[in-house]
Amino acid sequence: MIAAYIGLLLSALVCVLIFGLAYKASNGYRTSRYQSMMRYGKETQAMQDRQDLYRFGLTQPLRRDRSGWQTAGLSFGTMALIGSSALWFGPAVGQGGLSIIGFGLPILALFYICVSGSLAEIASAMPTAGSLSHTSIILGGMKWGRRAGWFHLAGHLAMLALFIGGCAYLTDSFASWYLGYAPSVVSFLCLAALIAVAQAACLHWGAAWLGWLHGAGIWLQLLIIGLVTGSMLWLLWPNSYSAAVLYQFDTASFMGHVRPESYMVGLLLLLKLFLGMDGAAAGAEETLEPRVRVPWAIYLSTAYTYIGGLILLTVVTLAVAYSYGTGTLVQSAIGMPDKPNIALFAESAIASWGGSMFIAVLIIASLWASGLQSMSVCARAMFSLARDESIPCSRFIGRVTPEGRITSHGSWAAAGMALLLLGCAQLRWNNESFVGLLTISIVFLHTAYGIPIGLRLRERFVRQSIRHGRSKSGNDGIWQDAPWHLGEWSHPVNAIAFCWLGVCAALSIVFLTWDAAIAALVLGLLLVLTEAWSDWRGRVHTLGNEMRK
């Protein structure tokens, strides 16, 4: 009973933190020097947004027509509550037991709310598609900015490969059961290629209604949450299971005693629920009033992912505990697995609907939509790096259409690189390819998040080290002008976020796939070589200009 009280206290603490940071951000908006122009019309606001880009030496080639809801779809979609649950709920519960939801989810949310607050402040201060890299450039120089941008892109490409592979795996599994064929590596890779091509084609020919798709992805996930939660409550309530099972580490009827290292693995697998929260920042240059809407999209998407995930996964976990504990379960055409596996969430949802494949189609569609939003984030990250001439083929990838849209070159490049990553992961890790991709994504994205946050902490430390505060950094202006800020809470929140990002990256290397850590080091070496190539290219360009003069 004491454990249950502790778990409930953790959940309540997360809710208090969510409302507390939101209150501080709202006060920060009222006391900031920022003046919204939305009351004078969208055109006036667009002029102000264009002036914000001019301050950082950037032009406005993209069309601004995205609402806050559509921008939030990028963060909500890349975190992918439904897709992440479909892929990682079963393995996480299998490693950490049912208490991974009761204790693990609130612990993760407690720290990732701080991370989202830090990223929201960065997005408000730097309203560009490459906010992480551009902030790092201002605080630490061009090299740190290039590192942050490349790690950010590499992490999202690994996550895109994970979405494509997960969608292909579930599609192959359910199609093989329904059509009666044996799934194989060939069928899996063919489906993955088809899914990637379909997503890239959608971004190629559907750029005009891409914002609507981002917003629709949120509604699709909310629909699935309602259908799955409602069906399980309707069929299994009130039965003889207790919520206390969520706070028991020894669930002998389910999987036996949970070891600490297994629980840590389960916690790291569940971490995917919050990975990709920065997605809304990639659409900042296509969003009206990005200094306000983008940070709120990052922060609220993280908060709502926790709230929705807590409700959904609690109900699913209790239903799974009842099914395994009593030996009875809702009758369905496919039944339930003998032990938790990667398809536990999807199979439980289908079982609650009497074996209907309708819910399976919705889950696969949501996973496909999350992959589409992830590819959109990758394309915009490439556009930002190409504009800064930090990647090869910059002139080709950084083009803009006459309608003010990013060209599809980045989308097709992202699809090709994601398929290459997925193929290499499948060849090297086979059944553990998803874990390897998740490890790479965690390491790279946490590094990309940590670079500007760490540079900001260093900047504050340097300022405070100067006696009497006579000298101030010239970078203060980007934070003073940001309408979304946490005031005096900013420094402790940034410190907590920075430490948490480093700890999670290190733990993922230790407890997850070691080969993935080696792959991350190899890719990191490639990033360093690319950085050296960019420096050499810049020197050649400068020398050429001097010779022409």
Side-chain angles (χ1 to χ4, degrees), residues 399-456:
R399 293 177 181 174
V400 177
T401 65
E403 294 80 16
R405 305 291 184 185
I406 294 176
T407 60
S408 60
H409 302 152
S411 305
W412 289 106
M417 286 187 284
L419 285 176
L420 180 61
L421 273 175
L422 181 61
C424 293
Q426 186 66 28
L427 290 175
R428 180 63 186 88
W429 297 305
N430 196 8
N431 294 333
E432 295 186 357
S433 60
F434 291 173
V435 179
L437 290 172
L438 178 62
T439 305
I440 294 174
S441 184
I442 290 174
V443 172
F444 281 166
L445 282 180
H446 280 60
T447 303
Y449 298 163
I451 288 175
I453 296 175
L455 290 173
R456 187 180 178 188

Side-chain angles (χ1 to χ4, degrees), residues 3-13 102-103 247:
Y5 286 140
I6 294 175
L8 293 174
L9 182 62
L10 276 174
S11 300
L13 185 61
F103 287 110
Y247 308 103

Side-chain angles (χ1 to χ4, degrees), residues 164-456:
I164 293 174
C167 187
Y169 173 82
L170 291 181
T171 304
D172 196 24
S173 300
F174 293 128
S176 63
W177 170 83
Y178 189 76
L179 300 176
Y181 70 89
S184 64
V185 176
V186 175
S187 61
F188 167 76
L189 293 178
C190 289
L191 280 173
L194 183 63
I195 289 168
V197 169
Q199 291 168 340
C202 185
L203 293 178
H204 187 128
W205 286 288
W209 36 278
L210 188 59
W212 179 87
L213 283 177
H214 294 331
I218 302 179
W219 288 114
L220 179 58
Q221 294 198 57
L222 293 176
L223 174 63
I224 296 173
I225 292 173
L227 291 176
V228 174
T229 303
S231 63
M232 288 189 174
L233 289 176
W234 176 264
L235 293 174
L236 298 176
W237 186 277
N239 279 308
S240 55
Y241 59 84
S242 171
V245 72
L246 296 174
Y247 308 103
Q248 296 175 0
F249 290 94
D250 189 3
T251 51
S253 62
F254 184 69
M255 58 165 292
H257 184 70
V258 178
R259 299 189 305 274
E261 58 271 20
S262 296
Y263 196 85
M264 185 60 66
V265 171
L267 202 64
L268 291 171
L269 295 179
L270 202 64
L271 181 151
K272 173 59 192 76
L273 286 172
F274 301 99
L275 201 61
M277 63 179 67
D278 65 299
E285 296 180 35
E286 299 163 273
T287 304
L288 283 169
E289 202 173 16
R291 282 180 173 267
V292 176
R293 293 181 174 181
V294 170
W296 277 119
I298 294 173
Y299 184 75
L300 293 180
S301 294
T302 308
Y304 291 148
T305 294
Y306 165 69
I307 296 171
L310 185 65
I311 296 172
L312 173 66
L313 297 183
T314 295
V315 173
V316 174
T317 302
L318 293 177
V320 169
Y322 174 74
S323 299
Y324 281 95
T326 62
T328 61
L329 47 100
V330 181
Q331 295 298 318
S332 71
I334 62 174
M336 294 278 285
D338 295 331
K339 60 180 181 179
N341 59 23
I342 196 173
L344 178 63
F345 177 86
E347 293 178 352
S348 301
I350 295 171
S352 68
W353 275 75
S356 172
M357 296 301 292
F358 169 72
I359 196 70
V361 172
L362 289 181
I363 291 174
I364 292 173
S366 177
L367 197 51
W368 185 89
S370 293
L372 177 71
Q373 289 151 351
S374 179
M375 187 177 292
S376 180
V377 171
C378 290
R380 278 145 185 80
M382 286 186 184
F383 168 78
S384 178
L385 290 171
R387 182 174 53 188
D388 299 337
E389 296 187 350
S390 297
I391 57 175
C393 305
S394 295
R395 294 183 179 180
F396 183 72
I397 295 177
R399 293 177 181 174
V400 177
T401 65
E403 294 80 16
R405 305 291 184 185
I406 294 176
T407 60
S408 60
H409 302 152
S411 305
W412 289 106
M417 286 187 284
L419 285 176
L420 180 61
L421 273 175
L422 181 61
C424 293
Q426 186 66 28
L427 290 175
R428 180 63 186 88
W429 297 305
N430 196 8
N431 294 333
E432 295 186 357
S433 60
F434 291 173
V435 179
L437 290 172
L438 178 62
T439 305
I440 294 174
S441 184
I442 290 174
V443 172
F444 281 166
L445 282 180
H446 280 60
T447 303
Y449 298 163
I451 288 175
I453 296 175
L455 290 173
R456 187 180 178 188

